[in-house]
Amino acid sequence: RVWCTYEIFVSLQDEVAERKYMYDVYTMYTDIDAVGITDGIVEADKRREEKKLYSHQWVGRKTEREMQFPQEFSKCALATEVQKAQASVESDRIHILNAIVSSADLNA
């Protein structure tokens, strides 16, 4: 859906210099566990089995956690062709795609 693409685009704009959040992607790893790729270290990376880890260990823990993220999801995301995104109203799709490429004419 083109609206979802646009929302991500807007949230990641460089002009939003004061954004105080990170962009993370999570999915279910098993029926009860989620796994994510995160923009930075998360609380789960700072602990292992209720034992607090030292900061130099956090990156290794982050790597271990992110290696569980399904590669097929990452490949699919990287192969996304935004120009093929759909909208229920064609003029919305055209306006959004033109906004993403910073077109002066949103109707072009």
Side-chain angles (χ1 to χ4, degrees), residues 26-79:
Y26 274 81
T27 189
M28 292 303 293
Y29 173 58
T30 65
D31 287 342
I32 58 171
D33 294 318
V35 63
I37 296 177
T38 60
D39 185 2
I41 302 295
V42 297
E43 285 301 315
D45 299 328
K46 298 177 183 179
R47 299 187 168 276
R48 174 174 273 147
E49 299 169 7
E50 299 306 316
K51 179 182 175 188
K52 187 173 181 178
L53 299 175
Y54 295 101
S55 60
H56 69 276
Q57 297 171 303
W58 296 350
V59 173
R61 180 69 180 117
K62 172 182 167 57
T63 301
E64 289 174 14
R65 175 179 49 77
E66 290 183 345
M67 286 181 70
Q68 302 304 313
F69 194 86
Q71 279 189 350
E72 62 271 14
F73 290 2
S74 300
K75 290 177 184 176
C76 184
L78 293 172

Side-chain angles (χ1 to χ4, degrees), residues 1 11 13 15 19 22 25 27 36 41 56 77 83 85 93 99:
R1 305 286 302 163
S11 73
Q13 286 299 293
E15 291 86 40
R19 73 178 168 119
M22 297 182 187
V25 178
T27 189
I41 302 295
H56 69 276
Q83 67 276 19
R93 187 182 82 78

